């Protein structure tokens, strides 16, 4: 195929007549598509549905905790509600959301490829996700699970009479969807980069998705096998975790957290990649310390595998192992801090504009920093023993997983929405929603730090009356947060019809995805691009285009 | 299989032989479980499992004879992470009695 050098500062092309969205209108053309962009849209619709389902359970939790006594539901129902909230949000929203939606859409576009390396496996991954999703919905409608999303033994293997095996199978199947996505990204990034796009010219979003894929491929099989072992012990009474049968109950926690702690990095790393893109574009600067930010993603992926037993400090592991894991947990703070400091340094003397995606990027930095620093507190054995299984832990991981991941995701959705749909979203409404999300989030989860520190345990449907004031604040915050999440859903759908036509590059952003039309044609680029420039070459963009325009 | 694939391919009979070998080893594992060898029971079972895994990785997963460097990297990193899982878990189990 002929190769053409696309100038770095090419004028935006007009919207093409034929693009990936209108290239086939039948349901079949969507359900049997192998186009990575259409699969990303399928994922977008499905993860959004699961997000609102998980959010519905979150609202039930917050409503129950509005008052000290258990008056909305029974204790058993409450256990099932927080379990469904956790399973759906972790396995069916947070893990797939950024890689499967934004990653699927952008990885080939950002590296100048026509599609992912294995388009049919990509479609298969979506079908596996849907099968897992149907199964978990079936579990939800036919009795639910009450173990919490962690499926801890011996409760899950021995005592509970809820649908453990079915829920485990749903997670198992969804896990394979995640493995396939990771596999596809690794091969694609290794083999399908455009000529001239060397590793040190890759966008940081690609680096972070690459690191995420490593965790997906190396970690997910372990949790899959662990769930199988739970099912085997539950169904056939083989001694794996039960000491009476020769098993070890802590073995479950070791195996479970070997995956499930790195799973937090599956969630947060792609969002960190999004934030790097946003900061560079809206500060009109190359990301400070590009190589360190790129390699810190890989370092987080590797170190993330070395810290899992900090979830087990009170479970009865040896003190020596606890000390090792505590030290290693601190070490993950280093590459995370490299990112935060380098983003901040990128802002220095940048030409900053405050479009909605940038507001979300700022929100990410603030909330992730709080989530990360409280993580260091929890890595300290003494503090962890004090606050284990309290709302302090709940607040900490929501700051990382919701404050971090969702801020990055929403920032990315606003940033690439013009690329995905060819339309702009309404900026004023978007800014309002970013504000609502930030305020609502802090009002929901900051009181939980205090609640946990003064001793309110997690996973109870009742609590002593002295905790009520902070719980009321938290529930009030949750309703603001819900409004902040519903608003983008409404105006994004509105913009599909009424939004301003975006053009190829509404942000005057660097990056190959902006050098094709919006929405892109089915095979992304009319001619294979040849990359002759470094990533984030904003200094090569003419002065009149340096300040990112704010969408109206 | 298309001709341009880079890994070496074997005849169907070869894969069948490997498959039968795996079944024989499975039967050996089951048989060995009924013989009381004391502490050697798990060692024998793990040894056979390792041989089986090696056969699957080398032949069914086409790692033997693969010319692609990425294949080697994937195998090495897989075992590296397995080593992390085992060694750090044992860091707990082996030091529980330390006081």
């Amino acid at each position: 195929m002929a190769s053409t050098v696309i100038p770095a500062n090419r004028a935006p092309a007009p919207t093409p007549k034929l693009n990936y969205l209108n290239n086939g209108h039948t349901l079949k053309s969507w359900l049997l598509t192998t186009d990575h962009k259409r699969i990303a849209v399928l994922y977008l619709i499905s993860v959004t549905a699961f997000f609102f389902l998980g959010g519905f359970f979150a609202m039930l939790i917050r409503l129950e905790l509005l008052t000290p006594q258990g008056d909305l539901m029974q204790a058993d129902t409450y256990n099932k509600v927080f379990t469904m909230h956790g399973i759906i949000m972790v396995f069916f929203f947070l893990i797939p959301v950024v890689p499967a939606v934004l990653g699927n859409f952008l990885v080939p576009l950002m590296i100048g490829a026509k599609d992912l390396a294995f388009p049919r496996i990509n479609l298969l991954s979506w079908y596996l996700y849907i099968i897992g999703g149907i199964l978990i919905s079936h579990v939800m409608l036919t009795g639910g699970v009450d173990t919490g999303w962690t499926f801890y033994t011996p409760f899950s293997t021995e005592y509970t009479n809820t649908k453990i095996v079915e829920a485990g199978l749903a997670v198992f199947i969804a896990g394979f969807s995640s493995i396939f996505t990771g596999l596809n990204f690794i091969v694609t990034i290794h083999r399908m980069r455009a000529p001239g796009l060397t590793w040190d010219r890759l966008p940081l979003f690609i680096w972070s998705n690459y690191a995420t894929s490593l965790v997906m491929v190396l970690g997910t099989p372990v949790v899959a096998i662990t769930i199988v072992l739970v099912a085997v012990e539950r169904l056939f009474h083989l001694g794996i975790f039960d000491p009476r049968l020769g098993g070890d109950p802590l073995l479950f926690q070791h195996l479970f957290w070997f995956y499930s702690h790195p799973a937090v990095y599956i969630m947060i790393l792609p969002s960190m990649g999004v934030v790097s893109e946003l900061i560079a574009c809206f500060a009109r600067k190359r990301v400070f310390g590009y190589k360190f930010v790129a390699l810190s993603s890989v370092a987080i992926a590797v170190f993330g595998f070395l810290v899992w037993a900090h979830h087990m400090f009170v479970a009865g592991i040896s003190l020596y192992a606890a000390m090792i894991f505590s030290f290693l947990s601190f070490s993950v703070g280093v590459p995370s801090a490299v990112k935060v400091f380098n983003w901040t340094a990128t802002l220095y003397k940048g030409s900053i504009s405050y479009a909605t995606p940038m507001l979300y990027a700022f929100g990410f930095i603030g909330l992730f920093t709080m989530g990360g620093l409280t993580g260091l507190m929890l890595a300290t054995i003494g503090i962890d023993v004090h606050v284990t299984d309290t709302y302090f832990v709940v607040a900490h991981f929501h700051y990382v997983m919701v404050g971090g991941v969702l801020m990055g995701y929403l920032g990315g959705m606003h940033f690439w929405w013009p690329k995905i749909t060819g339309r702009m979203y309404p900026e004023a409404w978007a800014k309002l929603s970013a504000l609502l999300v930030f305020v609502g989030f802090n009002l929901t989860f900051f009181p939980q730090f205090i609640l946990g520190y003064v001793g309110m345990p997690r996973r109870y449907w009742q609590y002593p009356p002295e905790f009520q004031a902070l719980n009321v604040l938290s529930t009030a915050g949750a309703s603001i947060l819900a409004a902040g999440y519903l608003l983008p859903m409404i105006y994004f759908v509105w913009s599909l019809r009424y939004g301003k036509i975006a053009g190829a590059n509404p942000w005057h952003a660097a990056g190959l995805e902006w050098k094709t039309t919006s929405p892109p044609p089915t095979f992304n680029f009319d001619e294979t691009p040849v990359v002759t420039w470094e990533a984030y070459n904003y200094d090569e963009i003419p002065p009149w285009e340096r300040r990112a325009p704010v969408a109206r | 299989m298309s001709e341009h694939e880079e890994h070496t391919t074997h005849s169907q009979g070869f894969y069948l032989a490997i498959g039968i070998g795996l079944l024989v080893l499975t039967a050996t594992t089951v048989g060995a479980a009924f013989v009381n060898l004391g502490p050697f029971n798990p060692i024998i079972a793990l040894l056979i499992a390792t041989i089986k895994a090696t056969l699957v990785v080398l032949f069914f997963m086409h790692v033997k004879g693969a010319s692609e460097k990425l294949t080697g990297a994937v195998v090495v990193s897989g075992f590296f992470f397995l080593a992390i899982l085992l060694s750090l878990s044992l860091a707990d189990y082996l030091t529980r009695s330390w006081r």
Side-chain angles (χ1 to χ4, degrees):
Chain A
M1 171 143 211
S3 297
T4 308
V5 177
I6 298 180
N9 310 318
R10 191 183 66 169
T15 306
K17 288 243 161 38
L18 194 64
N19 58 55
Y20 83 98
L21 285 173
N22 60 18
N23 187 8
H25 292 282
T26 58
L27 188 62
K28 188 180 158 195
S29 76
W30 280 90
L31 293 181
L32 294 180
T33 183
T34 51
D35 181 347
H36 66 102
K37 299 179 291 300
R38 284 193 162 204
I39 295 170
V41 172
L42 292 175
Y43 260 118
L44 171 64
I45 296 166
S46 13
V47 297
T48 306
F50 277 104
F51 173 68
F52 282 106
L53 185 60
F56 169 71
F57 285 113
M59 287 316 290
L60 288 181
I61 294 170
R62 285 316 322 162
L63 280 176
E64 172 59 66
L65 295 179
L66 196 56
T67 55
Q69 64 278 18
D71 38 19
L72 184 67
M73 56 189 103
Q74 302 291 320
D76 283 349
T77 315
Y78 183 78
N79 291 346
K80 289 176 181 173
V81 165
F82 73 68
T83 302
M84 289 315 295
H85 168 69
I87 292 178
I88 288 172
M89 286 303 204
V90 170
F91 295 110
F92 293 91
F93 177 70
L94 289 166
I95 287 176
V97 63
V98 181
V101 178
L102 293 174
N104 251 334
F105 196 93
L106 292 165
V107 166
L109 280 168
M110 282 183 162
I111 65 170
K114 286 189 165 67
D115 206 315
L116 287 171
F118 308 115
R120 278 179 289 184
I121 286 185
N122 196 21
L123 182 64
L124 177 62
S125 109
W126 181 71
Y127 274 100
L128 287 176
Y129 172 83
I130 290 297
I131 293 169
I134 290 172
L135 201 55
I136 202 69
S137 309
H138 166 77
V139 168
M140 178 182 76
L141 294 172
T142 56
V145 199
D146 64 350
T147 56
W149 75 280
T150 46
F151 300 108
Y152 264 24
T153 55
F155 186 62
S156 61
T157 47
E158 185 85 9
Y159 298 104
T160 179
N161 57 0
T162 52
K163 295 189 175 289
I164 296 293
V165 176
E166 292 90 333
L169 187 61
V171 171
F172 183 91
I173 293 171
F176 272 87
S177 125
S178 163
I179 293 172
F180 285 159
T181 301
L183 186 70
N184 231 331
F185 284 2
I186 291 175
V187 178
T188 307
I189 295 168
H190 269 275
R191 302 300 300 266
M192 295 173 69
R193 283 171 286 128
L197 190 57
T198 51
W199 285 88
D200 55 1
R201 285 176 174 171
L202 281 179
L204 291 164
F205 181 76
I206 298 292
W207 271 102
S208 63
N209 271 281
Y210 181 76
T212 307
S213 305
L214 294 179
V215 185
M216 284 170 158
V217 171
L218 292 165
T220 318
V222 178
V223 82
I225 289 294
T226 312
I227 288 167
V228 171
L229 292 177
V230 167
V232 163
E233 180 164 304
R234 192 173 163 83
L235 298 173
F236 306 114
H237 303 289
L238 288 178
I240 295 154
F241 307 118
D242 185 347
R244 286 172 303 180
L245 301 169
D248 184 292
L250 282 194
L251 180 63
F252 173 82
Q253 295 185 30
H254 276 301
L255 293 173
F256 179 82
W257 289 114
F258 181 77
Y259 164 76
S260 295
H261 190 79
V264 176
Y265 302 111
I266 294 181
M267 302 171 202
I268 194 80
L269 274 169
S271 270
M272 289 171 155
V274 170
V275 171
S276 296
E277 300 294 321
L278 301 182
I279 299 265
C281 176
F282 293 99
R284 315 309 287 174
K285 270 180 73 187
R286 181 175 161 84
V287 172
F288 180 82
Y290 166 90
K291 277 188 185 165
F292 281 89
V293 179
L295 292 176
S296 67
S297 293
V298 182
I300 288 173
V302 175
F303 287 4
F305 273 103
L306 307 177
V307 302
W308 75 84
H310 65 222
H311 295 269
M312 301 163 63
F313 284 159
V314 300
I317 59 169
S318 94
L319 180 62
Y320 298 94
M323 284 157 60
I324 293 170
F325 277 106
S326 172
F327 173 77
L328 290 170
S329 302
F330 275 97
S331 69
V332 185
V334 177
S336 308
V338 164
K339 283 188 187 293
V340 171
F341 286 130
N342 283 14
W343 289 327
T344 317
T346 308
L347 297 173
Y348 180 64
K349 290 193 174 173
S351 175
I352 297 169
S353 50
Y354 297 94
T356 308
M358 188 62 156
L359 297 184
Y360 279 109
F362 284 138
F364 177 100
I365 295 177
L367 300 182
F368 172 73
T369 302
M370 283 189 62
L373 288 175
T374 49
L376 293 181
M377 291 170 75
L378 290 167
T380 314
I381 300 175
I383 299 180
D384 187 78
V385 169
H386 176 60
V387 296
T388 287
D389 275 345
T390 68
Y391 262 87
F392 190 90
V393 177
V394 175
H396 154 71
F397 70 73
H398 279 87
Y399 263 82
V400 177
M401 287 154 70
V402 185
V405 181
L406 257 166
M407 282 284 180
Y409 171 63
L410 285 174
M413 278 307 293
H414 285 84
F415 185 56
W416 285 293
W417 186 253
K419 183 52 64 184
I420 295 171
T421 64
R423 302 272 183 168
M424 296 307 292
Y425 56 84
E427 183 69 17
W429 285 103
K431 280 188 167 154
L432 175 67
S433 95
L435 184 72
L436 287 177
V437 168
F438 187 77
V439 172
F441 178 86
N442 281 298
L443 194 57
T444 309
F445 292 105
F446 194 82
Q448 296 183 7
F449 277 126
I450 306 168
L451 280 169
Y453 202 79
V454 296
M456 179 166 162
R458 63 192 286 204
R459 295 180 168 175
Y460 281 83
W461 88 122
Q462 290 178 324
Y463 55 84
E466 61 263 33
F467 294 147
Q468 189 174 13
L470 288 167
N471 269 300
V472 169
L473 274 183
S474 185
T475 301
S479 27
I480 298 173
L481 193 56
Y485 288 147
L486 280 168
L487 208 51
M489 168 102 173
I490 296 166
Y491 63 67
F492 275 149
V493 172
W494 174 89
S495 77
L496 287 177
R497 192 177 172 89
Y498 303 104
K500 201 181 112 198
I501 300 289
N505 189 358
W507 309 114
H508 302 308
L512 276 179
E513 79 272 29
W514 300 106
K515 298 189 193 306
T516 186
T517 47
S518 306
T522 299
F523 292 109
N524 297 344
F525 299 94
D526 294 333
E527 289 167 283
T528 305
V530 175
V531 179
T532 55
W533 58 88
E534 302 300 314
Y536 313 113
N537 54 338
Y538 284 102
D539 48 348
E540 292 170 26
I541 290 177
W544 59 89
E545 286 189 359
R546 282 212 184 132
R547 198 171 175 82
V550 173
R552 301 276 169 232
Chain B
M1 296 236 172
S2 57
E3 286 168 50
H4 65 268
E5 284 188 23
E6 288 165 5
H7 53 69
T8 34
T9 49
H10 298 276
S11 65
Q12 279 194 337
F14 179 80
Y15 291 117
L16 200 62
I18 298 281
I20 292 170
L22 290 171
L23 289 173
V24 170
L25 286 169
T26 305
T28 316
T29 311
V30 175
F34 288 101
V35 186
N36 189 0
L37 299 169
F40 288 101
N41 273 108
I43 293 173
I44 297 278
L46 284 171
L47 195 68
I48 297 174
T50 310
I51 295 169
K52 284 166 69 182
T54 312
L55 287 175
V56 171
V57 170
L58 287 182
F59 299 109
F60 285 162
M61 296 171 84
H62 300 288
V63 168
K64 187 171 165 42
S67 58
E68 183 61 59
K69 276 184 191 162
L70 188 55
T71 311
V74 169
V75 174
V76 170
S77 44
F79 281 104
F80 177 70
F81 279 85
L82 182 66
I84 291 176
L85 172 65
L86 294 178
S87 57
L88 282 176
S89 297
L90 286 174
D92 167 27
Y93 285 99
L94 297 180
T95 60
R96 279 190 195 169
S97 56
W98 291 11
R99 283 286 176 269

